């Protein structure tokens, strides 16, 4: 068995995987709502409370993997660690208290691992766009002929947009406009729209996409088996935030209460990506960076079949 620890801006997650006949299967997942982005100040420094929170979670995870006798554990941090100015101090505190060797992924690495995760478990089309809407960043990868052509990252995610630009819980019209312009400016620096003319859908990874899918299925699909939603529904969510914030808040509390503050900032990112790429359909992936990271590690070790 193998463990993967994903240290994100909003959550820290431990996932345990089993390799069976060359295939990787998730057998356990534990999520910690650490909210590390809330402990980073305007100077991009994570304060001692944030460092303590990270160490506490990792120490708890260490107990779990020891009790389960996990063969190997791989840990990595995404935007929350690569964007702070005192990452060395944070990693030193982790090393002093835990046995985990935390790797900080670059934005490009994260986007590539997202692609690996989608392709390995979901068997996506040979040409497409993968977008990972995280708490502190958004990664986008364009792939064709089963290879990554372009992979890039912008420093905007659902949580840091909320922390930096929203005053209450559901953003108002002015805050939505501010977030939209901010994300659009960052996306305009990417060259992916020039490459994606032959793409039909956007493959999206992350808790925001899953939360939107829950709302969509609750409204349109009683089976709850659907893994897709359309651009119109994303726009409707944002419009409801502007015109019916209390009604929208009640809907979110029923389906994804832990996402009530980040679902609209995340929806704005998805909306702007769809606008940039002129796409209408979103496919929600159940696998992503964690699966992709483990896949690449095990492939390099020869522990699994090369299927991508």
């Amino acid at each position: 068995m193998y463990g993967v620890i994903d240290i994100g801006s909003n959550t820290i997650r431990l996932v345990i995987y089993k390799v069976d006949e060359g295939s990787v299967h998730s057998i356990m997942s534990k999520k910690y709502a650490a909210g590390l982005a809330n402990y980073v100040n305007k100077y991009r420094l994570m304060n001692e409370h944030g460092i303590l929170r990270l160490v506490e979670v990792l120490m708890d995870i260490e107990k779990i993997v020891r009790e389960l006798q996990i063969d190997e554990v791989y840990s990595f941090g995404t935007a929350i660690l690569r964007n702070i100015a005192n990452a060395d101090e944070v990693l030193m505190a982790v090393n002093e208290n835990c046995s985990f060797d935390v790797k900080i992924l670059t934005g490009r690495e994260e986007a590539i691992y997202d692609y690996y995760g989608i392709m390995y478990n979901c068997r996506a089309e040979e040409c497409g766009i993968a977008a990972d809407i995280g708490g502190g960043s958004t990664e986008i990868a364009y792939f064709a002929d089963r290879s990554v052509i372009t992979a890039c990252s912008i420093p905007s995610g659902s949580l840091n947009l909320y922390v930096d630009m929203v005053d209450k819980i559901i953003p108002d019209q002015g805050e939505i406009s501010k977030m939209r312009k901010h994300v659009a400016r960052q996306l305009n620096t990417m060259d992916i729209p020039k490459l994606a003319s032959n793409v039909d859908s956007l493959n999206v990874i992350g808790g925001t996409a899953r939360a939107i899918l829950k709302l969509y299925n609750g409204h349109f699909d009683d089976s709850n088996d659907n893994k897709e939603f359309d651009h119109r529904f994303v726009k409707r969510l944002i419009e409801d935030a502007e015109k019916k914030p209390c009604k929208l808040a009640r809907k979110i509390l029923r389906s994804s209460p832990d996402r009530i503050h980040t679902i609209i900032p995340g929806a704005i990112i998805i909306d702007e990506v769809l606008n940039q790429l002129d796409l209408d359909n979103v496919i929600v992936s159940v696998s992503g960076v964690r699966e992709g990271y483990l896949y690449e590690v095990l492939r390099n070790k020869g522990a699994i079949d090369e299927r991508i």
Side-chain angles (χ1 to χ4, degrees):
M1 292 191 293
Y2 299 88
V4 175
I5 303 168
D6 178 359
I7 302 169
S9 302
N10 195 23
T11 63
I12 300 172
R13 190 185 291 267
L14 165 69
V15 184
I16 306 299
Y17 299 90
K18 183 179 181 180
V19 178
D20 183 23
E21 297 182 353
S23 296
V24 177
H25 306 281
S26 169
I27 60 174
M28 187 193 114
S29 177
K30 183 172 177 60
K31 181 176 73 173
Y32 298 81
L36 295 180
N38 295 305
Y39 300 102
V40 179
N41 64 24
K42 62 181 180 180
Y43 303 108
R44 298 190 301 115
L45 296 171
M46 183 182 291
N47 63 34
E48 60 183 41
H49 299 291
I51 297 173
L52 179 60
R53 177 60 179 150
L54 171 59
V55 169
E56 286 176 341
V57 170
L58 292 180
M59 289 176 66
D60 188 69
I61 290 175
E62 194 165 38
K63 293 177 184 177
I64 294 173
V65 299
R66 188 182 300 119
E67 289 175 1
L68 294 177
Q69 298 181 336
I70 305 302
D71 299 313
E72 295 182 53
V73 180
Y74 304 100
S75 56
F76 61 80
T78 52
I80 187 60
L81 295 184
R82 68 171 171 261
N83 292 336
I84 57 174
N86 61 335
D88 289 343
E89 176 188 354
V90 175
L91 292 183
M92 184 180 298
V94 170
N95 291 335
E96 289 174 351
N97 293 276
C98 309
S99 62
F100 302 126
D101 181 18
V102 178
K103 174 181 172 60
I104 301 178
L105 301 185
T106 67
R108 175 177 171 77
E109 286 175 329
E110 187 175 355
I112 291 173
Y113 291 138
D114 285 329
Y115 160 76
Y116 287 159
I118 287 177
M119 295 301 290
Y120 187 76
N121 279 328
C122 296
R123 313 307 296 160
E125 296 179 357
E126 293 191 1
C127 177
I129 297 281
D132 184 353
I133 316 298
S137 67
T138 295
E139 285 65 48
I140 300 179
Y142 170 66
F143 53 92
D145 298 323
R146 308 192 73 79
S147 298
V148 177
I149 306 301
T150 302
C152 46
S153 176
I154 61 172
S156 286
S158 60
L159 183 58
N160 64 1
L161 279 182
Y162 171 78
V163 171
D164 293 342
M165 299 187 184
V166 181
D167 183 46
K168 296 182 180 179
I169 301 297
I170 302 295
D172 60 29
Q173 188 171 11
E175 292 166 338
I176 288 172
S177 177
K178 184 178 179 181
M179 285 188 284
R180 187 181 294 282
K181 291 177 182 178
H182 179 75
V183 172
R185 282 195 300 269
Q186 294 181 336
L187 291 175
N188 281 334
T189 65
M190 295 182 174
D191 60 353
I192 285 178
K194 302 172 187 176
L195 300 170
S197 59
N198 55 345
V199 174
D200 296 325
S201 300
L202 179 69
N203 296 278
V204 181
I205 301 161
T208 291
R210 292 191 297 273
I212 293 175
L213 182 65
K214 283 184 180 180
L215 287 171
Y216 182 87
N217 285 340
H219 189 77
F220 291 108
D221 187 348
D222 291 336
S223 71
N224 289 325
D225 291 331
N226 178 51
K227 300 300 181 186
E228 302 180 18
F229 56 83
D230 58 31
H231 197 177
R232 287 176 299 174
F233 185 71
V234 180
K235 290 184 177 296
R236 181 183 301 178
L237 276 183
I238 298 170
E239 183 178 331
D240 284 349
E242 295 175 328
K243 298 180 179 180
K244 307 172 185 176
C246 293
K247 185 177 180 180
L248 176 62
R250 287 194 292 271
K251 288 182 180 178
I252 298 172
L253 285 172
R254 286 195 295 269
S255 62
S256 302
D258 58 328
R259 297 280 173 181
I260 189 167
H261 58 309
T262 59
I263 193 169
I264 296 303
I268 289 169
I269 296 173
I270 293 175
D271 185 33
E272 287 300 321
V273 172
L274 292 171
N275 287 336
Q276 288 275 344
L277 301 176
D278 193 25
L279 296 175
D280 185 59
N281 192 53
V282 175
I283 301 172
V284 180
S285 173
V286 296
S287 60
V289 64
R290 291 181 292 272
E291 290 77 12
Y293 185 87
L294 181 61
Y295 164 81
E296 182 68 357
V297 169
L298 297 182
R299 186 186 67 84
N300 288 334
K301 295 174 62 174
I304 61 174
D305 297 331
E306 185 161 354
R307 293 172 51 191
I308 294 179

